Amino acid sequence: MKYDLIVLGSGPGGYVAAIRASQLGMKVAVVEKAELGGVCLNWGCIPTKALLKSAQVFEYLNHAADYGVKFDGEASASLPDMVKRSREVAAGMSKGIQFLLKKNKIEHIQGHGTLLPGKKIRVKPDDGDATEYEADHIIIATGARSRQLDNLPQDGKKIIGYREAMVLDKQPESMVVVGSGAIGTEFAWFYNAIGTKVTLVEFMPNIVPLEDEEVSKTLERSFKKAKIKVMTNSSVESVDTSGEKCKVLVKTKKGEETIEADIVLSAVGIAANIEGIGLEETGIKTEKGKIVVDEFYRTGVEGYYAIGDAVPGQALAHVASAEGIICVEKIAGHHPEPMDYNNIPGCTYCSPEVASVGYTEKAAKEAGYELKVGKFPFSASGKASAAGAKEGFVKLIFDAKYGELLGAHMIGANVTEMIAEAVVARKLETTGHELIKAVHPHPTMSEAVMEAAAAAYDEVIHM
């Protein structure tokens, strides 16, 4: 039972690390107590996108006349059917991971893994005795779960987390969503789109508070137009679940307000799954609920590594995957570059979509840069007009001295697909003028990137 590498966890960090290790000639095993693919494939990124697509189709049907399409029937949203499709998509993806592990000759060990000193791990299956395994290297990729707040105790029925929100058997008439990060914002849009009355409560001054302020304000206007009640600078003090409906006490700048709702969705962040996996026994240090690692994800104990949501950094699937590859390549004796955490794209898949990378305008100013800022609205885009998606813009931030692209911020249709151009441009240290001179296809939404760069240098044509 000796391996070159054992990976604890099969999410987008764990399974990607395992596959890359196999490609590099290692004998690899993956320990997983639940479904292969982790939260992302089973309870996060993938199934939520399936739900959002269902809501988008529903919206298309309701606005068919806007596109010259006659639709005599009345569209109705069936949450159980949407959930069924979402679960089927997730199950298919999980089976895909199973196929990839077999293809790469990676052993899947089912059960709960506990780290032991001496580069060992004990695995206890659901039924049966525990078995010890040994490896030259062990990577911890245990992911995270919904964070619990004392004043929002989740009961799985009236106060729920993201998992329950994905599989409700009945559409609630009303819902309060607490927290407007990507999870809260996406669920707020989804449930509102299919007809639930939604209130979105955010403690910070703006929703999607990590985004550029102009993006946040534009999304808030869009949500309010869609009849989502948005409460910023507000906090949920308590929830009374004793009656038929939840009574949610919200503290605002103007005082306290009680909101009644069928369901309260707590979307106030995540907590790393690092309890009960043997960190204390092995001497692996933690700080502020995360495992302490160096730039190549080595813990302070030789042979033990950690990646993904278990370590500091952005809790995103693509970050975990990239960390896993860097970690494994370093183990294999290669010379990978450390991760540039300032060039990580973030995406929110509500409508309009939100995508960004690098500095916000405020952060760039605080960092001491002199800026050139260009913004191009989709209302001036031919493709956006043809698609009926004129809402939003692309905003690019450049260093005035050297022309370096410091940040890109987008809100609109399909911008989560467009942001990769800015990520690559920043990786290659592309300047504003190089973006302007890079011919973009017409008509496309991506032309807005070229036009925004041109706007920063007073060369914009179509505005």
Side-chain angles (χ1 to χ4, degrees):
M1 297 296 183
K2 176 74 182 290
Y3 298 87
D4 298 314
L5 173 68
I6 294 176
V7 182
L8 179 57
S10 72
Y15 83 77
V16 168
I19 291 172
R20 183 66 183 126
S22 177
Q23 290 173 346
L24 293 171
M26 298 185 202
K27 181 182 179 183
V28 185
V30 169
V31 176
E32 176 57 66
K33 66 178 180 179
E35 310 98 330
L36 287 171
V39 168
C40 177
L41 268 68
N42 294 283
W43 296 100
C45 320
I46 303 305
T48 55
K49 303 311 161 283
L51 290 174
L52 293 168
K53 186 62 181 181
S54 293
Q56 185 184 51
V57 171
F58 180 56
E59 286 216 320
Y60 278 151
L61 291 172
N62 285 329
H63 293 90
D66 296 345
Y67 296 88
V69 177
K70 290 184 178 180
F71 179 65
D72 296 329
E74 183 179 347
S76 61
S78 171
L79 182 60
D81 289 335
M82 291 180 177
V83 168
K84 181 174 180 290
R85 175 180 179 272
S86 171
R87 300 317 306 158
E88 288 171 350
V89 169
M93 294 298 295
S94 185
K95 287 179 181 177
I97 303 304
Q98 188 175 31
F99 165 78
L100 289 174
L101 294 186
K102 287 183 178 179
K103 176 186 173 184
N104 287 279
K105 298 180 174 58
I106 298 166
E107 184 175 349
H108 170 209
I109 303 171
Q110 196 281 327
H112 177 82
T114 304
L115 303 172
L116 300 172
K119 303 176 189 177
K120 294 179 182 179
I121 184 168
R122 180 191 297 116
V123 182
K124 174 72 169 67
D126 292 337
D127 51 355
D129 297 327
T131 303
E132 286 189 11
Y133 301 86
E134 187 178 352
D136 293 327
H137 309 276
I138 296 175
I139 295 178
I140 303 162
T142 46
R145 63 190 182 279
S146 181
R147 188 159 68 97
Q148 298 267 6
L149 295 182
D150 292 339
N151 60 335
L152 278 174
Q154 296 176 27
D155 59 12
K157 296 178 180 179
K158 289 188 174 181
I159 303 177
I160 63 174
Y162 63 83
R163 284 196 178 220
E164 293 86 2
M166 266 186 276
V167 292
L168 290 179
D169 54 8
K170 179 183 177 184
Q171 181 181 340
E173 291 183 8
S174 55
M175 174 182 286
V176 172
V177 179
V178 186
S180 71
I183 294 172
T185 299
E186 289 176 4
F187 276 117
W189 181 81
F190 168 74
Y191 277 102
N192 177 75
I194 64 173
T196 297
K197 182 181 177 182
V198 175
T199 300
L200 181 59
V201 180
E202 171 55 53
F203 179 75
M204 300 296 284
N206 299 302
I207 61 172
V208 285
L210 297 181
E211 300 294 340
D212 188 85
E213 193 171 322
E214 283 191 85
V215 170
S216 296
K217 289 181 176 178
T218 300
L219 184 62
E220 183 173 338
R221 286 195 296 270
S222 177
F223 272 22
K224 287 180 177 178
K225 184 179 177 182
K227 302 296 193 297
I228 297 174
K229 183 177 181 179
V230 178
M231 302 177 72
T232 53
N233 287 308
S234 302
S235 61
V236 172
E237 299 298 295
S238 63
V239 180
D240 181 357
T241 59
S242 60
E244 186 177 340
K245 289 184 178 290
C246 300
K247 291 184 178 179
V248 185
L249 181 63
V250 181
K251 183 180 179 181
T252 73
K253 278 190 170 183
K254 297 180 180 179
E256 293 185 338
E257 179 179 343
T258 299
I259 301 169
E260 288 194 348
D262 295 317
I263 295 285
V264 176
L265 168 57
S266 178
V268 290
I270 60 171
N273 294 322
I274 59 174
E275 305 89 354
I277 61 170
L279 297 183
E280 297 83 1
E281 289 82 355
T282 51
I284 295 173
K285 293 182 179 179
T286 64
E287 189 174 293
K288 297 180 180 178
K290 300 277 189 174
I291 297 173
V292 178
V293 293
D294 68 7
E295 61 185 355
F296 295 111
Y297 311 102
R298 296 173 291 207
T299 69
V301 180
E302 184 185 356
Y304 295 85
Y305 311 77
I307 61 173
D309 295 355
V311 304
Q314 297 101 315
L316 298 168
H318 44 284
V319 171
S321 296
E323 289 174 343
I325 291 171
I326 292 170
C327 179
V328 164
E329 289 183 349
K330 187 68 175 178
I331 290 171
H334 291 213
H335 303 283
E337 289 183 17
M339 179 89 78
D340 178 3
Y341 287 96
N342 194 34
N343 199 34
I344 301 297
C347 297
T348 304
Y349 299 84
C350 52
S351 183
E353 293 181 349
V354 172
S356 63
V357 65
Y359 288 95
T360 63
E361 184 174 355
K362 181 181 177 183
K365 288 177 179 176
E366 290 174 348
Y369 289 100
E370 184 181 341
L371 307 180
K372 283 187 178 293
V373 179
K375 191 167 77 169
F376 188 79
F378 285 122
S379 59
S381 162
K383 177 63 181 294
S385 292
K390 297 194 292 182
E391 191 173 18
F393 57 83
V394 170
K395 177 179 178 179
L396 301 183
I397 301 162
F398 298 96
D399 172 22
K401 187 175 181 180
Y402 298 110
E404 177 189 358
L405 177 60
L406 298 174
H409 305 275
M410 307 178 184
I411 179 168
N414 299 317
V415 297
T416 57
E417 303 292 341
M418 291 166 51
I419 194 63
E421 177 180 357
V423 177
V424 173
R426 295 188 77 240
K427 175 68 174 174
L428 299 177
E429 299 181 350
T430 303
T431 66
H433 281 105
E434 287 173 327
L435 276 175
I436 296 168
K437 298 305 180 185
V439 179
H440 285 59
H442 175 79
T444 60
M445 302 289 282
S446 65
E447 284 176 293
V449 176
M450 176 183 68
E451 296 276 17
Y457 289 88
D458 298 322
E459 297 179 23
V460 66
I461 299 296
H462 292 99
M463 184 177 69

